[in-house]
């Protein structure tokens, strides 16, 4: 499965990073960063209206290169201007062509919180996200044992980072809730065959308590999708490819927010 291969490659990448900057050093850097304890990512998604997490993504394993021209700072600013609640920035380099510097530069440029979207397989990456300026990290249930997932959620919270815990089915939702997540994302993409079904979020929404922020991820393309999810009690959506393929990303976001297209 592609996710397993990405995880293996990520472990190799993290091992190389530890050679350049050991765990103790990155931990000290993270602890030296400001921690207000206010969790801006969480606050951004907790409003009464549907929240939009807009993704800055150059490529993906299933679609290849999405943005041959990639003015990532301009894209992030366009999202913010159009009313995005938060930004998701890919930092995985091999399959998504992401870079840490994209996150660092975007987080220093915009005034809305930024999620570090990567494949977290080591606590090193949580500390690193804090140093890079992220307000949140992605934790994928299928990559982590429950005890490890809980430890990473607690570590993120101790650093003032939110943890978006991603699940794909009923069992993973139960695992995420036991691990103490306050933000639960349901990926509508089947990571075995890459098919997408937005109804997945609506089916699984019933399993999640009202006090846990629920995020629908992947396959959200139209205002009709947004309205359907909103009626189903979904509080936030993470949208990547639909926006990245649009020539006018700000206009597309506005139309999605207004329920058009």
């Amino acid at each position: 499965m592609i996710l397993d291969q990405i995880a293996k490659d990520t472990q190799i990448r993290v091992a190389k990073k530890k050679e350049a900057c050991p765990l103790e050093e990155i931990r000290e850097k993270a602890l030296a960063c400001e921690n207000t304890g206010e969790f801006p990512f969480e606050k951004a998604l907790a409003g009464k209206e549907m929240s939009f997490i807009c993704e800055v993504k150059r490529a993906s394993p299933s679609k290849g290169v999405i943005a041959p021209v990639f003015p990532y700072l301009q894209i992030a600013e366009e999202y913010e201007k159009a009313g995005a609640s938060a930004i998701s920035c890919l930092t995985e380099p091999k399959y998504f062509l992401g870079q840490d510097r994209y996150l660092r530069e975007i987080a220093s440029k915009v005034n809305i919180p930024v999620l570090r979207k990567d494949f977290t397989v080591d606590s090193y990456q949580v500390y690193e996200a804090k140093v890079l300026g992220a307000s949140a990290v992605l934790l994928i249930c299928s990559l982590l044992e429950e005890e490890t997932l809980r430890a990473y959620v607690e570590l993120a919270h101790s650093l003032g980072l939110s943890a978006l815990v991603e699940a794909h089915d009923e069992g993973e939702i139960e695992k995420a809730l036991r691990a103490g997540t306050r933000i639960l994302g349901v990926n509508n993409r089947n990571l075995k065959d890459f098919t997408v079904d937005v109804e997945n979020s609506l089916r699984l929404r019933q399993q999640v308590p009202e006090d846990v922020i629920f995020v629908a991820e992947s396959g959200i393309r139209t205002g009709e999708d947004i309205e359907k999810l909103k009626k189903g009690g979904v509080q936030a959506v993470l949208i990547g490819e639909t926006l990245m393929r649009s020539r006018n990303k700000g206009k597309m976001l506005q139309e999605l927010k207004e329920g058009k297209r």
Side-chain angles (χ1 to χ4, degrees), residues 74-84 87 110-112 250-251 253-254 257:
Q74 181 183 320
I75 293 168
E77 290 178 304
E78 199 172 344
Y79 286 157
E80 181 179 26
K81 189 176 179 181
I87 287 170
V110 301
N111 294 308
I112 54 177
K251 183 181 178 185
L253 176 55
Q254 286 288 0
K257 292 179 77 171

Side-chain angles (χ1 to χ4, degrees), residues 5-255:
Q5 188 57 53
I6 295 173
K8 287 177 184 176
D9 288 335
T10 301
Q11 288 168 342
I12 294 169
R13 170 163 52 107
V14 173
K16 289 178 180 177
K17 286 188 171 189
K18 286 180 178 179
E19 290 177 5
C21 180
L23 175 61
E24 190 55 46
E25 189 176 332
I26 198 75
R27 182 190 289 125
E28 288 178 7
K29 287 181 179 180
L31 294 174
C33 294
E34 183 183 15
N35 178 0
T36 63
E38 293 180 354
F39 300 101
F41 185 80
E42 225 160 304
K43 284 187 174 181
L45 305 187
K48 292 182 180 179
E49 296 297 319
M50 174 73 82
S51 299
F52 287 76
I53 307 166
C54 300
E55 196 151 84
V56 179
K57 174 168 66 175
R58 188 170 191 177
S60 76
S62 59
K63 301 293 184 178
V65 176
I66 297 168
V69 179
F70 191 58
Y72 54 94
L73 281 177
Q74 181 183 320
I75 293 168
E77 290 178 304
E78 199 172 344
Y79 286 157
E80 181 179 26
K81 189 176 179 181
S85 308
I87 287 170
S88 168
C89 179
L90 265 296
T91 56
E92 195 287 323
K94 184 173 180 179
Y95 300 88
F96 292 85
L97 303 184
Q99 292 189 30
D100 290 342
R101 70 181 178 89
Y102 296 160
L103 171 60
R104 185 190 302 109
E105 292 175 27
I106 288 171
S108 67
K109 193 78 173 177
V110 301
N111 294 308
I112 54 177
V114 182
L115 164 73
R116 185 195 192 183
K117 195 169 185 188
D118 209 316
F119 297 80
T120 306
V121 293
D122 193 297
S123 61
Y124 188 97
Q125 294 166 279
V126 182
Y127 290 115
E128 189 178 45
K130 181 68 176 180
V131 173
L132 290 170
S135 295
V137 291
L138 176 70
L139 302 175
I140 301 175
C141 275
S142 58
L143 288 183
L144 304 168
E145 296 294 332
E146 187 172 323
E147 188 177 332
T148 305
L149 177 62
R150 183 184 299 110
Y152 289 0
V153 169
E154 291 173 358
L155 173 59
H157 290 168
S158 74
L159 294 171
L161 296 172
S162 296
L164 170 59
V165 179
E166 180 176 293
H168 298 85
D169 56 33
E170 291 86 348
E172 289 185 357
I173 281 184
E174 291 172 7
K175 177 179 173 180
L177 294 174
R178 288 194 300 267
T181 185
R182 302 197 297 247
I183 311 174
L184 195 147
V186 165
N187 194 330
N188 296 314
R189 187 181 303 280
N190 184 319
L191 293 179
K192 292 180 180 177
D193 60 15
F194 287 108
T195 56
V196 175
D197 179 11
V198 175
E199 296 290 331
N200 196 39
S201 288
L202 296 173
R203 283 194 299 269
L204 297 177
R205 179 67 185 94
Q206 310 308 315
Q207 267 193 264
V208 181
E210 291 296 322
D211 62 344
V212 175
I213 296 169
F214 189 97
V215 182
E217 307 171 23
S218 297
I220 300 156
R221 298 186 175 91
T222 67
E224 187 179 328
D225 290 335
I226 298 294
E227 289 303 311
K228 190 187 296 184
L229 292 167
K230 196 183 294 185
K231 287 177 183 176
V234 173
Q235 292 140 292
V237 289
L238 192 154
I239 304 178
E241 188 182 342
T242 297
L243 290 170
M244 286 302 305
R245 289 196 185 278
S246 175
R247 288 186 178 182
N248 189 329
K249 295 171 178 56
K251 183 181 178 185
M252 172 61 85
L253 176 55
Q254 286 288 0
E255 290 177 350

